[in-house]
Protein backbone atom coordinates (compact mmCIF):
# COMPACT_ATOMS: atom_id res chain seq x y z
CA UNK A 1 0.00 0.00 0.00
CA UNK A 2 1.32 3.47 -0.79
CA UNK A 3 1.42 6.39 1.61
CA UNK A 4 -1.82 7.96 0.45
CA UNK A 5 -4.75 8.41 2.83
CA UNK A 6 -7.17 5.56 3.42
CA UNK A 7 -9.67 6.72 0.81
CA UNK A 8 -11.27 3.33 0.30
CA UNK A 9 -11.28 2.21 3.92
CA UNK A 10 -13.90 4.51 5.42
CA UNK A 11 -14.58 2.43 8.56
CA UNK A 12 -10.92 2.58 9.60
CA UNK A 13 -10.75 6.31 8.87
CA UNK A 14 -13.82 6.91 11.00
CA UNK A 15 -12.49 4.71 13.77
CA UNK A 16 -9.12 6.49 13.95
CA UNK A 17 -10.80 9.89 13.74
CA UNK A 18 -13.11 8.89 16.59
CA UNK A 19 -10.11 7.93 18.73
CA UNK A 20 -8.47 11.30 18.01
CA UNK A 21 -11.60 13.02 19.34
CA UNK A 22 -12.19 10.62 22.22
CA UNK A 23 -8.80 10.87 23.91
CA UNK A 24 -8.89 14.54 24.98
CA UNK A 25 -12.66 14.50 25.50
CA UNK A 26 -12.65 11.77 28.17
CA UNK A 27 -9.20 12.44 29.63
CA UNK A 28 -10.49 14.31 32.70
CA UNK A 29 -14.09 13.18 33.13
CA UNK A 30 -13.51 9.41 33.31
CA UNK A 31 -11.33 7.42 35.72
CA UNK A 32 -9.41 5.53 33.01
CA UNK A 33 -9.99 7.52 29.83
CA UNK A 34 -6.33 8.31 29.12
CA UNK A 35 -5.16 4.72 29.56
CA UNK A 36 -8.14 3.42 27.58
CA UNK A 37 -7.35 5.73 24.67
CA UNK A 38 -3.68 4.74 24.63
CA UNK A 39 -4.67 1.07 24.50
CA UNK A 40 -7.08 1.70 21.61
CA UNK A 41 -4.35 3.37 19.56
CA UNK A 42 -1.96 0.45 20.06
CA UNK A 43 -4.61 -2.19 19.31
CA UNK A 44 -5.70 -0.35 16.16
CA UNK A 45 -2.11 -0.18 14.94
CA UNK A 46 -1.86 -3.96 15.25
CA UNK A 47 -4.51 -4.28 12.52
CA UNK A 48 -2.67 -2.04 10.03
CA UNK A 49 1.06 -2.23 10.86
CA UNK A 50 2.38 -2.27 7.29
CA UNK A 51 0.08 0.45 6.06
CA UNK A 52 0.91 2.65 9.05
CA UNK A 53 4.65 2.17 8.60
CA UNK A 54 4.36 3.00 4.91
CA UNK A 55 2.55 6.22 5.80
CA UNK A 56 5.23 7.06 8.37
CA UNK A 57 8.31 6.24 6.27
CA UNK A 58 8.49 9.54 4.31
CA UNK A 59 8.45 11.44 7.61
CA UNK A 60 10.85 9.31 9.60
CA UNK A 61 13.67 11.84 9.28
CA UNK A 62 11.44 14.49 10.87
CA UNK A 63 10.36 12.39 13.85
CA UNK A 64 13.35 10.14 14.53
CA UNK A 65 14.91 12.27 17.26
CA UNK A 66 11.65 12.51 19.15
CA UNK A 67 11.20 8.75 18.97
CA UNK A 68 14.85 8.31 19.99
CA UNK A 69 14.30 10.48 23.08
CA UNK A 70 11.39 8.34 24.27
CA UNK A 71 13.32 5.17 23.41
CA UNK A 72 16.34 6.40 25.38
CA UNK A 73 14.13 6.94 28.40
CA UNK A 74 12.85 3.36 28.15
CA UNK A 75 16.36 1.97 27.62
CA UNK A 76 17.68 3.81 30.68
CA UNK A 77 14.91 2.45 32.89
CA UNK A 78 15.55 -1.06 31.52
CA UNK A 79 19.24 -0.77 32.41
CA UNK A 80 18.36 0.43 35.91
CA UNK A 81 16.00 -2.51 36.39
CA UNK A 82 18.73 -4.94 35.30
CA UNK A 83 21.51 -3.43 37.39
CA UNK A 84 19.63 -2.57 40.57
CA UNK A 85 18.47 -5.57 42.63
CA UNK A 86 15.91 -3.39 44.43
CA UNK A 87 14.34 -2.14 41.19
CA UNK A 88 10.91 -3.38 40.16
CA UNK A 89 9.91 -4.48 36.65
CA UNK A 90 6.84 -2.29 37.05
CA UNK A 91 9.13 0.70 36.42
CA UNK A 92 9.13 -0.25 32.73
CA UNK A 93 5.39 0.41 32.48
CA UNK A 94 5.38 4.19 32.08
CA UNK A 95 8.30 4.62 29.62
CA UNK A 96 7.14 1.69 27.47
CA UNK A 97 3.60 3.04 27.24
CA UNK A 98 4.90 6.50 26.44
CA UNK A 99 6.97 5.12 23.57
CA UNK A 100 3.99 3.10 22.32
CA UNK A 101 2.07 6.37 22.22
CA UNK A 102 3.88 6.92 18.91
CA UNK A 103 1.19 4.65 17.48
CA UNK A 104 -1.12 7.69 17.58
CA UNK A 105 1.12 9.62 15.19
CA UNK A 106 1.38 6.67 12.82
CA UNK A 107 -2.39 6.24 12.70
CA UNK A 108 -2.96 9.95 12.10
CA UNK A 109 -0.53 9.86 9.19
CA UNK A 110 -2.32 6.83 7.79
CA UNK A 111 -5.94 7.97 8.14
CA UNK A 112 -5.43 11.76 7.72
CA UNK A 113 -8.45 12.70 9.87
CA UNK A 114 -9.38 16.39 9.93
CA UNK A 115 -7.68 18.07 12.85
CA UNK A 116 -11.03 19.59 13.74
CA UNK A 117 -11.71 16.26 15.48
CA UNK A 118 -8.80 16.89 17.83
CA UNK A 119 -9.90 20.48 18.47
CA UNK A 120 -13.47 19.37 19.21
CA UNK A 121 -12.17 16.75 21.63
CA UNK A 122 -9.89 19.26 23.36
CA UNK A 123 -12.55 21.96 23.67
CA UNK A 124 -15.28 19.47 24.60
CA UNK A 125 -13.07 17.87 27.23
CA UNK A 126 -12.31 21.25 28.80
CA UNK A 127 -15.97 22.30 28.77
CA UNK A 128 -17.02 18.97 30.34
CA UNK A 129 -14.30 19.20 33.00
CA UNK A 130 -15.53 22.52 34.40
CA UNK A 131 -18.98 21.48 35.78
CA UNK A 132 -17.44 18.19 36.91
CA UNK A 133 -14.85 19.92 39.10
CA UNK A 134 -17.24 22.68 40.22
CA UNK A 135 -19.67 20.01 41.42
CA UNK A 136 -16.94 18.56 43.62
CA UNK A 137 -15.95 21.96 44.97
CA UNK A 138 -19.38 23.54 45.47
CA UNK A 139 -21.78 20.65 46.03
CA UNK A 140 -19.42 18.23 47.78
CA UNK A 141 -17.56 21.02 49.54
CA UNK A 142 -14.07 19.81 48.63
CA UNK A 143 -11.49 22.54 49.13
CA UNK A 144 -9.02 21.01 46.64
CA UNK A 145 -11.08 18.94 44.17
CA UNK A 146 -9.25 16.76 41.66
CA UNK A 147 -11.86 14.66 39.89
CA UNK A 148 -10.49 11.15 39.38
CA UNK A 149 -6.93 12.52 39.77
CA UNK A 150 -5.29 14.56 42.49
CA UNK A 151 -6.00 18.29 42.51
CA UNK A 152 -2.58 19.26 41.11
CA UNK A 153 -2.64 16.86 38.17
CA UNK A 154 -6.25 17.64 37.31
CA UNK A 155 -5.55 21.38 37.45
CA UNK A 156 -2.46 21.01 35.28
CA UNK A 157 -4.19 18.91 32.62
CA UNK A 158 -7.26 21.18 32.62
CA UNK A 159 -4.98 24.15 32.05
CA UNK A 160 -3.27 22.23 29.24
CA UNK A 161 -6.63 21.58 27.56
CA UNK A 162 -7.50 25.26 27.92
CA UNK A 163 -4.26 26.35 26.24
CA UNK A 164 -4.76 23.80 23.46
CA UNK A 165 -8.24 25.22 22.93
CA UNK A 166 -6.64 28.64 22.49
CA UNK A 167 -4.46 27.14 19.75
CA UNK A 168 -7.61 25.71 18.16
CA UNK A 169 -9.15 29.18 18.22
CA UNK A 170 -6.09 30.42 16.34
CA UNK A 171 -6.78 27.75 13.71
CA UNK A 172 -10.34 29.09 13.33
CA UNK A 173 -9.38 32.76 13.48
CA UNK A 174 -11.27 33.52 10.26
CA UNK A 175 -14.58 32.00 11.39
CA UNK A 176 -16.51 33.23 14.42
CA UNK A 177 -18.85 30.24 14.32
CA UNK A 178 -16.07 27.64 14.24
CA UNK A 179 -14.05 29.48 16.89
CA UNK A 180 -16.92 29.51 19.38
CA UNK A 181 -16.38 26.03 20.86
CA UNK A 182 -12.59 26.44 21.18
CA UNK A 183 -13.20 29.82 22.85
CA UNK A 184 -15.53 28.21 25.36
CA UNK A 185 -13.02 25.41 25.86
CA UNK A 186 -10.22 27.87 26.56
CA UNK A 187 -12.22 29.70 29.21
CA UNK A 188 -13.55 26.45 30.72
CA UNK A 189 -10.12 24.82 30.90
CA UNK A 190 -8.55 27.81 32.62
CA UNK A 191 -11.52 28.10 34.99
CA UNK A 192 -11.38 24.39 35.85
CA UNK A 193 -7.70 24.75 36.69
CA UNK A 194 -8.46 27.69 38.97
CA UNK A 195 -11.24 25.70 40.67
CA UNK A 196 -8.74 23.06 41.83
CA UNK A 197 -6.77 25.70 43.73
CA UNK A 198 -3.51 24.55 42.15
CA UNK A 199 -0.71 27.08 41.81
CA UNK A 200 1.58 25.01 39.60
CA UNK A 201 0.00 26.26 36.40
CA UNK A 202 0.75 29.91 37.01
CA UNK A 203 4.24 29.65 35.51
CA UNK A 204 2.82 27.73 32.54
CA UNK A 205 0.42 30.59 31.89
CA UNK A 206 3.28 33.08 31.98
CA UNK A 207 5.32 31.07 29.46
CA UNK A 208 2.26 30.60 27.26
CA UNK A 209 1.70 34.34 27.34
CA UNK A 210 5.28 34.94 26.21
CA UNK A 211 4.84 32.43 23.38
CA UNK A 212 1.67 34.12 22.17
CA UNK A 213 3.37 37.51 22.33
CA UNK A 214 6.28 36.21 20.24
CA UNK A 215 3.86 35.31 17.43
CA UNK A 216 1.35 38.11 17.99
CA UNK A 217 2.16 39.59 14.58
CA UNK A 218 0.85 36.39 12.95
CA UNK A 219 -2.51 36.60 14.70
CA UNK A 220 -4.22 39.08 12.42
CA UNK A 221 -7.65 38.16 13.79
CA UNK A 222 -9.07 40.68 16.25
CA UNK A 223 -11.32 37.95 17.64
CA UNK A 224 -8.38 35.75 18.58
CA UNK A 225 -6.51 38.61 20.19
CA UNK A 226 -9.56 39.49 22.26
CA UNK A 227 -9.92 35.86 23.29
CA UNK A 228 -6.27 35.65 24.33
CA UNK A 229 -6.43 38.85 26.34
CA UNK A 230 -9.79 37.89 27.84
CA UNK A 231 -8.66 34.42 28.86
CA UNK A 232 -5.53 35.61 30.61
CA UNK A 233 -7.46 38.52 32.16
CA UNK A 234 -10.01 36.03 33.50
CA UNK A 235 -7.31 34.08 35.30
CA UNK A 236 -5.81 37.30 36.62
CA UNK A 237 -9.18 38.48 37.88
CA UNK A 238 -9.67 35.32 39.92
CA UNK A 239 -6.76 36.43 42.07
CA UNK A 240 -8.95 39.22 43.46
CA UNK A 241 -12.05 37.06 44.05
CA UNK A 242 -11.90 35.72 47.63
CA UNK A 243 -14.08 32.67 46.85
CA UNK A 244 -11.42 31.23 44.55
CA UNK A 245 -8.80 31.25 47.30
CA UNK A 246 -6.08 32.23 44.81
CA UNK A 247 -4.96 35.36 46.64
CA UNK A 248 -4.97 33.55 49.96
CA UNK A 249 -2.84 30.71 48.57
CA UNK A 250 -0.39 33.16 47.00
CA UNK A 251 0.01 35.06 50.27
CA UNK A 252 0.34 31.81 52.19
CA UNK A 253 3.07 30.72 49.82
CA UNK A 254 5.10 33.83 50.65
CA UNK A 255 4.63 33.18 54.37
CA UNK A 256 5.68 29.55 53.95
CA UNK A 257 8.91 30.54 52.19
CA UNK A 258 9.80 33.09 54.87
CA UNK A 259 9.04 30.60 57.64
CA UNK A 260 11.27 27.94 56.08
CA UNK A 261 14.08 30.38 55.33
CA UNK A 262 14.05 31.48 58.98
CA UNK A 263 14.40 27.90 60.19
CA UNK A 264 10.76 27.41 61.09
CA UNK A 265 8.50 24.42 60.44
CA UNK A 266 8.44 22.88 56.96
CA UNK A 267 4.91 21.61 57.52
CA UNK A 268 3.24 23.52 54.67
CA UNK A 269 2.79 22.94 50.94
CA UNK A 270 5.69 25.22 50.05
CA UNK A 271 7.81 24.39 53.08
CA UNK A 272 7.66 20.65 52.37
CA UNK A 273 8.77 21.25 48.80
CA UNK A 274 11.72 23.36 49.90
CA UNK A 275 12.73 20.72 52.43
CA UNK A 276 12.41 17.99 49.79
CA UNK A 277 14.60 19.94 47.40
CA UNK A 278 17.17 20.38 50.16
CA UNK A 279 17.13 16.61 50.71
CA UNK A 280 17.32 15.98 46.95
CA UNK A 281 20.45 18.13 46.71
CA UNK A 282 22.04 16.06 49.48
CA UNK A 283 21.29 12.77 47.72
CA UNK A 284 22.37 14.03 44.29
CA UNK A 285 25.70 15.18 45.73
CA UNK A 286 26.27 11.63 47.02
CA UNK A 287 25.40 9.83 43.74
CA UNK A 288 25.51 12.39 40.90
CA UNK A 289 26.20 9.99 38.01
CA UNK A 290 24.07 6.93 38.70
CA UNK A 291 21.45 8.07 41.18
CA UNK A 292 19.38 5.79 43.39
CA UNK A 293 16.27 3.70 42.96
CA UNK A 294 13.09 5.58 43.91
CA UNK A 295 12.53 3.35 46.96
CA UNK A 296 16.13 3.90 48.06
CA UNK A 297 15.69 7.66 47.68
CA UNK A 298 12.88 7.56 50.21
CA UNK A 299 14.92 5.36 52.53
CA UNK A 300 17.86 7.77 52.35
CA UNK A 301 15.62 10.74 53.05
CA UNK A 302 14.34 8.92 56.13
CA UNK A 303 17.92 8.37 57.24
CA UNK A 304 18.64 12.08 56.98
CA UNK A 305 15.46 12.83 58.92
CA UNK A 306 16.48 10.45 61.69
CA UNK A 307 19.88 12.17 61.76
CA UNK A 308 18.12 15.49 62.34
CA UNK A 309 19.23 16.93 59.00
CA UNK A 310 15.75 17.12 57.44
CA UNK A 311 12.26 17.85 58.74
CA UNK A 312 10.01 14.78 59.36
CA UNK A 313 7.24 16.53 57.40
CA UNK A 314 8.72 15.19 54.14
CA UNK A 315 8.37 11.50 55.03
CA UNK A 316 4.80 10.89 53.73
CA UNK A 317 5.67 12.30 50.28
CA UNK A 318 6.20 9.82 47.44
CA UNK A 319 8.46 11.97 45.29
CA UNK A 320 10.60 15.12 45.29
CA UNK A 321 8.04 17.51 43.76
CA UNK A 322 10.40 18.58 40.98
CA UNK A 323 10.87 16.63 37.77
CA UNK A 324 14.52 17.58 37.21
CA UNK A 325 15.54 16.76 40.80
CA UNK A 326 13.59 13.50 40.68
CA UNK A 327 15.34 12.52 37.44
CA UNK A 328 18.77 13.39 38.87
CA UNK A 329 18.18 11.65 42.18
CA UNK A 330 16.90 8.42 40.61
CA UNK A 331 18.93 8.29 37.39
CA UNK A 332 21.88 10.61 37.88
CA UNK A 333 22.99 12.71 34.93
CA UNK A 334 21.57 10.02 32.61
CA UNK A 335 18.16 10.38 34.19
CA UNK A 336 18.33 14.14 33.75
CA UNK A 337 19.22 13.68 30.08
CA UNK A 338 16.29 11.30 29.60
CA UNK A 339 13.85 13.75 31.21
CA UNK A 340 15.26 16.69 29.25
CA UNK A 341 15.17 14.67 26.03
CA UNK A 342 11.43 13.95 26.07
CA UNK A 343 10.85 17.68 26.51
CA UNK A 344 13.57 19.14 24.30
CA UNK A 345 13.17 16.85 21.27
CA UNK A 346 9.42 17.58 20.84
CA UNK A 347 10.02 21.26 21.58
CA UNK A 348 12.59 21.49 18.79
CA UNK A 349 10.28 19.60 16.42
CA UNK A 350 7.36 21.92 17.08
CA UNK A 351 9.57 25.00 17.05
CA UNK A 352 10.87 24.04 13.61
CA UNK A 353 7.36 23.35 12.31
CA UNK A 354 6.10 26.60 13.80
CA UNK A 355 8.79 28.49 11.91
CA UNK A 356 7.89 26.69 8.70
CA UNK A 357 4.22 27.41 9.31
CA UNK A 358 4.93 31.12 9.62
CA UNK A 359 6.86 31.21 6.34
CA UNK A 360 4.57 28.95 4.33
CA UNK A 361 1.15 30.45 4.85
CA UNK A 362 0.71 28.92 8.32
CA UNK A 363 -0.56 25.45 7.27
CA UNK A 364 0.81 23.78 10.40
CA UNK A 365 0.97 26.86 12.62
CA UNK A 366 -1.86 25.90 14.99
CA UNK A 367 -0.85 22.27 15.72
CA UNK A 368 2.79 23.32 16.09
CA UNK A 369 1.76 26.12 18.45
CA UNK A 370 -0.33 23.62 20.41
CA UNK A 371 2.63 21.25 20.62
CA UNK A 372 4.90 23.96 22.00
CA UNK A 373 2.23 24.85 24.56
CA UNK A 374 2.07 21.22 25.74
CA UNK A 375 5.85 20.99 26.15
CA UNK A 376 6.16 24.37 27.88
CA UNK A 377 3.27 23.50 30.17
CA UNK A 378 4.82 20.21 31.25
CA UNK A 379 8.18 21.87 31.82
CA UNK A 380 6.44 24.43 34.03
CA UNK A 381 4.38 21.85 35.90
CA UNK A 382 7.57 19.92 36.65
CA UNK A 383 9.11 22.84 38.52
CA UNK A 384 6.94 22.23 41.60
CA UNK A 385 5.55 18.75 40.90
CA UNK A 386 6.69 15.45 39.39
CA UNK A 387 4.07 15.56 36.63
CA UNK A 388 5.62 12.46 35.04
CA UNK A 389 5.11 10.48 38.27
CA UNK A 390 1.50 9.76 37.37
CA UNK A 391 0.86 7.28 34.55
CA UNK A 392 -2.05 9.44 33.40
CA UNK A 393 0.15 12.52 33.35
CA UNK A 394 2.77 10.62 31.32
CA UNK A 395 0.30 9.25 28.80
CA UNK A 396 -1.52 12.55 28.32
CA UNK A 397 1.79 14.15 27.40
CA UNK A 398 2.97 11.38 25.08
CA UNK A 399 -0.32 10.96 23.23
CA UNK A 400 -0.89 14.69 22.80
CA UNK A 401 2.67 15.26 21.58
CA UNK A 402 2.48 12.43 19.06
CA UNK A 403 -1.00 13.37 17.82
CA UNK A 404 0.07 16.96 17.25
CA UNK A 405 3.23 15.79 15.50
CA UNK A 406 1.09 13.73 13.14
CA UNK A 407 -1.13 16.69 12.31
CA UNK A 408 1.89 18.94 11.75
CA UNK A 409 3.31 16.47 9.24
CA UNK A 410 -0.02 16.15 7.42
CA UNK A 411 -0.25 19.94 7.12
CA UNK A 412 3.30 20.16 5.82
CA UNK A 413 2.55 17.48 3.23
CA UNK A 414 -0.49 19.38 2.01
CA UNK A 415 1.60 22.52 1.63
CA UNK A 416 3.92 20.58 -0.68
CA UNK A 417 7.03 21.44 1.38
Amino acid sequence: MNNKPLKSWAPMQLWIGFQVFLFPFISLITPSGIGFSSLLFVLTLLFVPRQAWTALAPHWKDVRWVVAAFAFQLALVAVCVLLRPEADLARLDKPSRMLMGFSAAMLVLLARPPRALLWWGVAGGAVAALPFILWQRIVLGEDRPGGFLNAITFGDLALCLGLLALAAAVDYRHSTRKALLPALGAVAGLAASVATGSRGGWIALALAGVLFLCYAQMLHSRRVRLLLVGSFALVGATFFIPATGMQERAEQGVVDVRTWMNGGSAFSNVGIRLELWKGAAMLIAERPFTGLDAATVRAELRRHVEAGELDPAILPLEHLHNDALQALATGGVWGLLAWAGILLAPFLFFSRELGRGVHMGMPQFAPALAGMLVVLSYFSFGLTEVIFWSLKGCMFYALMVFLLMGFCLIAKEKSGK
Side-chain angles (χ1 to χ4, degrees), residues 19 22-41 148-149 392 395-396 399:
Q19 290 179 69
L22 186 68
F23 156 58
F25 182 72
I26 66 174
S27 58
L28 292 183
I29 59 174
T30 60
S32 304
I34 298 174
F36 176 71
S37 294
S38 66
L39 179 61
L40 282 184
F41 281 119
F148 296 108
L149 304 164
K392 294 177 181 178
M395 291 312 304
F396 183 93
L399 287 178

Side-chain angles (χ1 to χ4, degrees), residues 356 360-361 363-364 408-417:
R356 290 173 176 172
M360 295 190 303
Q364 66 263 43
C408 281
L409 294 172
I410 291 173
K412 186 171 71 170
E413 247 190 26
K414 290 181 178 178
S415 71
K417 300 290 185 179

Side-chain angles (χ1 to χ4, degrees), residues 23 26 41 56 65 118 125 128 165 169 217 235 252 257 416:
F23 156 58
I26 66 174
F41 281 119
L56 168 68
W65 291 114
L118 178 63
Q217 74 277 10
V235 176
Q252 186 60 50
V257 172

